[in-house]
Amino acid sequence: MTIVGKKTALACTVCGTRNYSVPEGKDKQSDRLELKKFCRHCNAHTSHKQTI
């Protein structure tokens, strides 16, 4: 049996679609996570920010 934690979504900053989900961190950070990921809607590597 595995324990599944909460997940948060990453949204593309260009088109706004939510493409990725990441596990929520144990420490509550005040700033949002920002990663450069591939967006299939924009067909390019763009910045993705954590949504609430």
Side-chain angles (χ1 to χ4, degrees), residues 12-47:
C12 177
T13 55
V14 177
C15 65
T17 57
R18 293 184 178 128
N19 301 325
Y20 296 96
S21 61
V22 292
E24 194 174 72
K26 292 181 182 178
D27 55 339
K28 300 295 178 185
Q29 297 177 0
S30 60
D31 54 341
R32 293 183 185 180
L33 177 67
E34 187 171 350
L35 298 172
K36 196 160 192 164
K37 302 286 257 176
F38 182 79
C39 178
R40 62 182 177 164
H41 301 284
C42 298
N43 200 25
H45 283 87
T46 59
S47 177

